Amino acid sequence: METKDQKKHRKKNSGPKAEKKKKRHLQDLQLGDEEDARKRNPKAFAVQSAVRMARSFHRTQDLKTKKHHIPVVDRTPLEPPPIVVVVMGPPKVGKSTLIQCLIRNFTRQKLTEIRGPVTIVSGKKRRLTIIECGCDINMMIDLAKVADLVLMLIDASFGFEMETFEFLNICQVHGFPKIMGVLTHLDSFKYNKQLKKTKKRLKHRFWTEVYPGAKLFYLSGMVHGEYQNQEIHNLGRFITVMKFRPLTWQTSHPYILADRMEDLTNPEDIRTNIKCDRKVSLYGYLRGAHLKNKSQIHIPGVGDFAVSDVSFLPDPCALPEQQKKRCLNEKEKLVYAPLSGVGGVLYDKDAVYVDLGGSHGFQESEEVRPTHELVQSLISTHSTIDAKMASSRVTLFSDSKPLGSEDIDNQGLWMPKEEKQMDLKTGRVRRKAIFGDEEDESGDSDDEDDEEMSEGDRLENSSSDDEEEEEDAEMTDKQYMSGKGIKRPKLEMEEDVEVDLPAFADSDDDLERSSVEEEAEEADDSSEEEDSTAEEGKNILESKAVRKGSKPELLQTNDLSNSLNLEKSLTMKKATLTTSDSGHCTAEEAFASEDESEENSSLSREKDSENEEVIRKKFPKPSQVVSGQKSGSENLVDETSDIEDLLKEEEDYKEENNYSTETSGALKWKEDLSRKAAEAFLRQQQATPNLRKLIYGTVTEDDEEEDGDTGEELGGLFRVSQPARECKHKADSLDCSRFHVEAPHDWDLEEVMNSIRDCFVTGKWEEDKDAAKILAEDEELYGDFEDLETGDVHKGKSDPDTQVEDVEEEVKEVDPSAEESAKKKHLDKKRKLKEMFDAEYDEGESTYFDDLKGEMQKQAQINRAEFEDQDDEARVQYEGFRPGMYVRIEIEDVPCEFVLNFDPHYPIILGGLGNSEGNVGYVQMRLKKHRWYKKILKSRDPIIFSVGWRRFQTIPLYYIEDHNGRQRLLKYTPQHMHCGATFWGPITPQGTGFLAIQSVSGVMPDFRIAATGVVLDLDKSIKIVKKLKLTGFPYKIFKNTSFIKGMFNSALEVAKFEGAVIRTVSGIRGQIKKALRAPEGAFRATFEDKLLMSDIVFMRTWYPVSIPAFYNPVTSLLKPVGEKDTWSGMRTTGQLRLVHGIKLKPNKDSLYKPIVRQKKHFNSLHIPKALQKALPFKSKPKTQAKAGKTPKDRLRPAVIREPHERKILALLDALSTVHSQKMKKAKEQRHLHNKEHFKVKQKEEEEKLKRQKDLRKKLFRIQGQKEKRNQKSSLKGPGEQSM
Amino acid sequence: MATQAHSLSYTGCNFLRQRLVLSTLSGRPVKIRKIRARDDNPGLRDFEASFIRLLDKITNGSRIEINQTGTTLYYQPGLLYGGSVEHDCSVLRSIGYYLESLLCLAPFMKHPLRIVLRGVTNDQVDPSVDVLKATALPLLKQFGIDGESFELKIVRRGMPPGGGGEVFFSCPVRKVLKPIQLTDPGKIKRIRGMAYSVRVSPQMANRIVDSARSILNKFIPDIYIYTDHMKGVNSGKSPGFGLSLVAETTNGTFLSAELASNPQGQGAAVLPEDLGRNCAKLLLEEIYRGGCVDSTNQSLALLLMTLGQQDVSKVLLGPLSPYTIEFLRHLKSFFQIMFKIETKPCGEELKGGDKVLMTCVGIGFSNLSKTLK
């Protein structure tokens, strides 16, 4: 019945499956693919020309390699920071609307006013920080440096505007982020065709700027003042799936786009001096690279600062925790924008408004977070609650000057409680950073409402605060009971470890403490049980100890004190307790022990007898003794006061100390192993922080205290004093890197020799490296094989292992571990086979590129794995604050204008600086004037550069490099060529791009970017030279030698230039020989020819130009609100001249005048007589008389006619005229006649032709008809015949 | 507004080299006060002055200010310049004293460094040039500093107190360093050594070799100790002899030990047999300490790890020497870098004492001096 309902299966006719099937079918038929064609017709694919083949191969390889990018290590953190989306465009293009629509699309919330960055959760793995960028060039430059994605809004009804191109150019210089164009105002087009055309035009122009095929998005129109939902949704989809390529500058520098700013300055200071430097804290997601505490940062628009403190906070806009589901639920669609008042607080110019549950987002955080956060924090923390409580103890004392370790400082400030204070004058709510103690006093229950905006950690903290406080009190009481009032030696701080150590160490310590105690007790119990088995070992131990017992008493006393110390608190500050650490002692400790041991030996001698036994057990080895001595002696001073207490405890811990401090030692390694394992575990637990403390724990104190504040109060109760003597000793001792052996082993003993046996190839190898073992395994794997040639069948030896397996097969059901091992073995086998296979088949393919990529990947994996399992607090110590964390950065000495003129619309960027990037020096770069910039740039004109994070004004010199490497100064930049530029400014790594603009203030009519380029070199010395011509005049001329004066002023100067090349203007070359005595500065010079007195002699020299040390950061953020784009720095000389109306007085000689050419007069050529004679006749000047002068005898006499003759002549003339006229007429007439005759003839001819034509026509017609007839008849003929 | 990186301040003359080297690399000025202030002979010694001069030679634009008594030193680093340099080292310390710092700085020069150092090549205090050649150079190679021009040559040997030795060192320039993962030292496969003698009987070297072999042969058969007897002008100005031993492992780790005779006129005469035996024992001691890096080069390895890319580098060391510990502190104050320090207990294996695994993330240092063309 059911079968009827089912549809009949239909064969697929299209789609990949069907295609595959078809292919298979074709393959079966032996036709189809190229492969088969190759097989079918191998001749067609044979190699025709080896050269061509090589070429084509080469080409394909070239193309392949071109596609490669240099592989980089993927350093993106697991939880990346939000992506910075910069919405950019000229005014009135719809930026704010777009941001609002996007936020509404992602979070279903509507923000009324957007100021500053807005962070939203856009997907399971992605968050966005959206920020608007106006057309102030400062803002454009800053945001281009931090942008991951730029939404470039373009008003389609208007077309591209200058800002768009400027921004694109800025982006190109500072690393090109992803750029997506968005066309708006598309509804203003009336005709569809026009719209289409515009779209196409804009798209292609956009492509030429970005890259062909760059995405351009169209927002077709507005509905109720918003863009269409579907389009915004699509845009959102595009943004959330977009992939990014790492940009060099961004990945190598940490940076923060601050989304919150607070003024932490003491209100009293402000009251007394409103212009005092401020202390501010800035909040934001850390991006780029790891940020180290106390590092240098630059805030573009403000200046360079040293970070006084960094702490990380819980993420205010966290990604959803579980990733299983497909989409986010409403609760997870968070939005965080403190500057625009989302997330609880609204910042106005002079007030902060706390939103009490108005907006959706805030409610959310209120409702969901408490439980959420608490659970989350419980899950995420790696330390137990009591460890946390213990660690929180520190805050009790941190209100006074912290102990000098910067880490403790950290701890105090990591999560300061914040308290809102209402300033009565202004009505402004201030958030004051308050530490543990203050809070105790104030007990701020009424402020708790306000604290909601401060993130969830506070909730968690406050919940456990009270208990912690109590605990703290108890603990500290206990701790400080003994030490009250006594000045403590610096190195002796076992008890107050919690106070003077980095925070991470505390928690660890407490963890350790608890674990150590437990472990020790366990070990204790177990060891007692095992005592019988370990009897022998102990005996050996004791015998050793006895041998050592003969050591001087001093040792023992020290041992005693050491043991006491141990027993008192198991937190081991110094790593001196175990053998392994004997080497870790610093010289300082050694000195300490020497100094103090003598004084203290007498004190402790009394106790000796009691503790001797214990001591002997404890310190069986010489190195141990040494170490004990060191640490012990330091502690003795303090010990005397509370030895009584300790003695009681001693009994309890006696045994446990045995095991925790005793090391296995090289001699007795074969003793009971389980105990050893426990020991090793313990020791590892202790030693790590010990060593760390030894290295990092005390030194910070040293440094700070050396700076002078030795009398600092500690916790308000104690004074830290330091044994100055030791310090001096250490400070001035020998500087040597050799590590001398303090307690050499006796290498003649067999045991000692055995202890390093395995360090040699001759020793025992590890399981996985032992050749014999590997061989055996291989045999097991490849044991069975058949020799095909001989037909022999080799059977692998059935190892005892395999035999056991066979035997065990029956037992397997019973023994799960055996099964496990078998499984593992099987897997191993498989893996090995796979490796073999890979090695055989994949190896050939791997190229250099693949190898490199693999290496990078491996490194990335190592990077990820290394600190994965550590909690953030410890991690931060090692690798710095990693990108993706939400951090709070405190900065001191910020100019008050930064706070007073704070405008949330302007982005605050904290750009981390690398090493020595904060220094100032000479920077050389390659520069090219932008082709769209109208003017050329002049050397020594101040110009604003944007390099790295910075924007600053400086005075560059332009130069060009000659062929011999000389850098010659240029007055102006070349028009269409690169040139060099050098300026005095902040050092930036080579390869960093930069741009230059003439001014950042106001709106310039044209394209504002004046030049672009790249940093080439950083140097401390200047090499730019300019040409200098020294001129002189000859005052005495011999043959080729001349005396020249006026070039130098003294003989010394001449001496400097002896041998230099000189030249006259006419091109006669010469050389300076020697100075002359007579006129000062004159010299003798030789030339290749004789000079004239009128010659000018000159020498070409090169004069180094000094670069003005002018560096002026653009402090645009310090300008008052609304005037931030009016920063103006030093003006150019041209501008100054214009303002003051100073005309430039030109050099008269340099002026251009109309050129008047004088008539050239040539003299006749004069050939000397002698030469004339010698010349051949042809060349001899011919002495010809003038043609006009005929001699008189040649002149013919004039004929004078008689009147009669004249008459005759006149008549003849007339007659000939008449005749000629007649002839002319006749000729004309004849011509006419001829013409007419010709016409008649032509007519006749035509008629004749016509006639002939007609005739022919007739004839042809008849002929045709005849033919037709014939044809017809011929067609008919046969038909008729057949009929 | 040009804020200079705030300077660091220290007291005492100890670790002067570290401070100046790190200052040069980090670009932070350093001020050292109270240099032997309580001493009868206060102020900088000759060899330190020579070191500062050397630093001045290889940098460009550094500013050094020393007060009249020489007890206060202010050093504002310039850019590392490099090029061909010659330097006469003070004979109070051996060339190793200078060379150790040069090894730290040489990869980050503007021009590849080619330097001739004159002075004492082997003494009892500092690591000798032989040892540095055998251990530090392979270590640098691990970081990608390699090439034809990477060499360290002993042209002449000079023993204290006279000196007269000459060393040529050249090193290529790198923009970035590779991260390293040296967690397994491997097993020692061979031991090599150099027994040298100058201005004494050549027989001394042979006697040293025999005695050293007698001890080491118990562990490994592959031992070869070269004898190097320099004569004439190559033998420096003072007599002396000594031995340096290097153990090479399968994974390319070099551990070294060395011993030199007492300088002429100081201390009792040392028998070459004793010297050989003691040196061999020192090598065993070094092997006992173990690790992937020789104890003298610990700080060099750590420095280069710090100056790597922002990647994790790991190195297994023996117990940290006091010099290294101070170096770690200095690294922290100059570069804000902290190492993750894990103690690796020796366990049951017969591989000597406990080891320390040092892990750090590089600061992403790039050579600012190198020119981009």
Side-chain angles (χ1 to χ4, degrees), chain A residues 102-110 233 330 333 360:
Chain A
L102 277 174
I103 291 170
R104 203 174 61 110
N105 173 54
F106 284 121
T107 65
R108 307 269 167 257
Q109 288 184 57
K110 208 170 168 187
H233 185 74
E330 287 296 312
K333 289 178 178 170
H360 184 168

Side-chain angles (χ1 to χ4, degrees), chain A residues 193-233:
Chain A
K193 196 169 181 189
Q194 195 194 358
L195 173 70
K196 250 189 213 166
K197 266 189 175 170
T198 317
K199 272 185 185 174
K200 192 175 175 189
R201 186 168 47 82
L202 292 178
K203 185 169 74 181
H204 282 278
R205 190 67 190 84
F206 186 68
W207 283 2
T208 54
E209 283 303 318
V210 184
Y211 61 89
K215 184 70 196 161
L216 196 61
F217 211 87
Y218 308 108
L219 294 178
S220 57
M222 306 271 268
V223 178
H224 305 307
E226 282 188 342
Y227 294 112
Q228 287 175 13
N229 277 341
Q230 191 54 47
E231 286 173 347
I232 291 295
H233 185 74

Side-chain angles (χ1 to χ4, degrees), chain A residues 580 737 745 866 990 1017, chain B residues 14 100 110 285 314 354 370:
Chain A
S580 61
S737 68
H745 294 78
E866 183 56 38
Q990 306 90 336
D1017 199 0
Chain B
N14 203 359
E100 272 186 302
K110 184 190 269 299
E285 204 68 57
K314 286 179 178 190
D354 288 1
K370 200 168 177 248

Side-chain angles (χ1 to χ4, degrees), chain A residues 335-481:
Chain A
V335 57
Y336 179 71
L339 287 175
S340 9
V342 182
V345 199
L346 182 76
Y347 283 75
D348 206 352
K349 197 186 165 232
D350 54 354
V352 181
Y353 302 105
V354 181
D355 197 348
L356 297 173
S359 82
H360 184 168
F362 178 56
Q363 269 187 348
E364 212 171 63
S365 63
E366 200 179 24
E367 287 161 7
V368 182
R369 289 220 131 178
T371 53
H372 228 69
E373 278 296 332
L374 200 58
V375 173
Q376 189 190 340
S377 63
L378 279 177
I379 291 165
S380 63
T381 49
H382 295 275
S383 49
T384 56
I385 195 89
D386 45 353
K388 279 204 150 200
M389 285 199 302
S391 69
S392 69
R393 197 181 308 153
V394 175
T395 54
L396 186 69
F397 290 99
S398 56
D399 72 321
S400 60
K401 175 82 182 177
L403 289 182
S405 120
E406 52 188 40
D407 304 298
I408 187 71
D409 206 19
N410 272 349
Q411 198 207 18
L413 294 173
W414 256 330
M415 270 155 222
K417 316 280 182 287
E418 286 177 352
E419 181 188 291
K420 305 290 173 299
Q421 282 185 350
M422 193 72 116
D423 199 338
L424 289 176
K425 266 190 206 162
T426 55
R428 172 179 172 187
V429 179
R430 289 182 181 284
R431 302 187 63 222
K432 195 183 172 199
I434 295 220
F435 305 109
D437 296 23
E438 287 180 46
E439 204 165 299
D440 268 11
E441 291 153 21
S442 59
D444 48 350
S445 56
D446 50 343
D447 287 336
E448 257 164 25
D449 290 0
D450 301 350
E451 270 181 31
E452 276 151 5
M453 53 69 58
S454 66
E455 290 67 38
D457 67 297
R458 224 139 290 138
L459 289 166
E460 170 203 324
N461 257 5
S462 60
S463 65
S464 58
D465 244 355
D466 297 353
E467 299 130 37
E468 282 175 20
E469 238 53 82
E470 285 169 25
E471 276 285 328
D472 289 354
E474 275 178 34
M475 299 287 267
T476 43
D477 275 357
K478 221 157 93 186
Q479 281 168 2
Y480 288 106
M481 219 154 44

Side-chain angles (χ1 to χ4, degrees), chain A residues 292 580 688 694-696 731 733 735 737 745 755 758-759 762 766 769 863 866 915 919 990 1017 1019, chain B residues 14 27 60 93 100 110 184 187-188 219 285 311-312 314 329 336 339 341 350-352 354 368 370:
Chain A
K292 299 259 162 38
S580 61
T688 315
L694 170 70
I695 292 163
Y696 296 120
S733 59
D735 179 15
S737 68
H745 294 78
S755 69
D758 281 352
C759 291
T762 48
E766 288 87 3
K769 282 183 198 141
N863 291 352
E866 183 56 38
N915 279 301
N919 294 356
Q990 306 90 336
D1017 199 0
D1019 214 331
Chain B
N14 203 359
N60 173 6
R93 298 295 288 263
E100 272 186 302
K110 184 190 269 299
D184 183 16
K187 296 200 180 284
I188 292 164
F219 293 94
E285 204 68 57
D311 291 320
V312 169
K314 286 179 178 190
R329 293 174 188 163
Q336 285 91 36
F339 278 75
I341 304 160
L350 299 175
K351 283 193 171 178
D354 288 1
L368 282 177
K370 200 168 177 248

Side-chain angles (χ1 to χ4, degrees), chain A residues 73 75 251-252 289-290 292-296 302-304 306 406-407 504 580 583-588 664 666 669 673 680 683-684 687-688 691-692 694-696 698-700 703 706-707 730-741 744-745 747-748 753-762 764-766 769 859 862-863 866-867 870 877-879 915-916 918-920 961 987-991 1015-1021 1111 1113, chain B residues 1-6 9-17 26-27 33-37 60-61 77-79 93 97 100 110 123-127 175 179 181 184 186-189 191 218-221 250 258 281-282 284-285 287-289 295-296 309-312 314 319-323 325-326 328-329 332 334-343 345 348-352 354 356 359 361 363 365 367-373:
Chain A
V73 179
R75 298 197 181 95
T251 48
S252 59
H290 294 289
K292 299 259 162 38
N293 204 349
K294 311 273 179 209
S295 56
Q296 282 233 309
V302 186
D304 276 15
E406 52 188 40
D407 304 298
F504 67 85
S580 61
H584 306 323
C585 313
T586 56
E588 105 195 58
S664 55
W669 66 280
L673 296 175
R683 196 177 34 203
Q684 200 172 355
T688 315
L691 209 49
R692 194 170 54 194
L694 170 70
I695 292 163
Y696 296 120
T698 51
V699 70
T700 44
D703 285 349
E706 271 167 13
D707 287 344
K730 188 182 97 184
D732 281 341
S733 59
L734 189 71
D735 179 15
C736 174
S737 68
R738 280 258 284 264
F739 186 13
H740 294 288
V741 184
H745 294 78
W747 289 104
D748 296 330
M753 273 164 65
N754 272 336
S755 69
I756 58 165
R757 204 45 99 180
D758 281 352
C759 291
F760 295 88
V761 279
T762 48
K764 212 173 83 184
W765 289 70
E766 288 87 3
K769 282 183 198 141
Q859 186 62 45
I862 292 171
N863 291 352
E866 183 56 38
F867 298 107
Q870 279 182 321
Q877 296 278 333
Y878 294 130
E879 50 170 22
N915 279 301
S916 68
N919 294 356
V920 184
E961 197 164 299
I987 282 176
T988 324
Q990 306 90 336
V1015 176
L1016 288 184
D1017 199 0
L1018 310 161
D1019 214 331
K1020 294 273 182 182
S1021 54
Y1111 160 59
Chain B
M1 233 5 229
T3 51
Q4 280 286 331
H6 54 285
S9 176
Y10 293 101
T11 54
C13 70
N14 203 359
F15 310 114
L16 178 85
R17 284 180 298 162
S26 70
R33 296 177 295 123
K34 295 184 189 166
I35 298 172
R36 297 198 183 86
N60 173 6
L79 286 169
R93 298 295 288 263
Y97 176 84
E100 272 186 302
K110 184 190 269 299
D123 74 352
Q124 293 181 314
V125 186
D126 289 301
K175 190 156 170 62
Q181 317 290 333
D184 183 16
K187 296 200 180 284
I188 292 164
K189 60 177 180 185
I191 293 175
K218 291 173 199 162
F219 293 94
I220 194 163
T250 49
E258 63 169 327
K281 283 180 183 171
L282 279 181
L284 294 179
E285 204 68 57
I287 291 167
Y288 180 82
R289 283 172 180 166
S295 64
T296 49
Q309 292 301 93
Q310 293 184 332
D311 291 320
V312 169
K314 286 179 178 190
L320 302 180
S321 66
Y323 188 81
I325 288 174
E326 195 59 31
L328 282 169
R329 293 174 188 163
K332 187 170 184 229
F334 278 100
F335 291 111
Q336 285 91 36
I337 199 144
M338 245 175 98
F339 278 75
K340 184 177 167 190
I341 304 160
E342 292 164 285
T343 314
E348 300 135 40
E349 288 155 353
L350 299 175
K351 283 193 171 178
D354 288 1
V356 185
T359 312
V361 182
I363 55 164
F365 186 86
N367 185 356
L368 282 177
S369 317
K370 200 168 177 248
T371 309
L372 183 80
K373 279 289 172 193

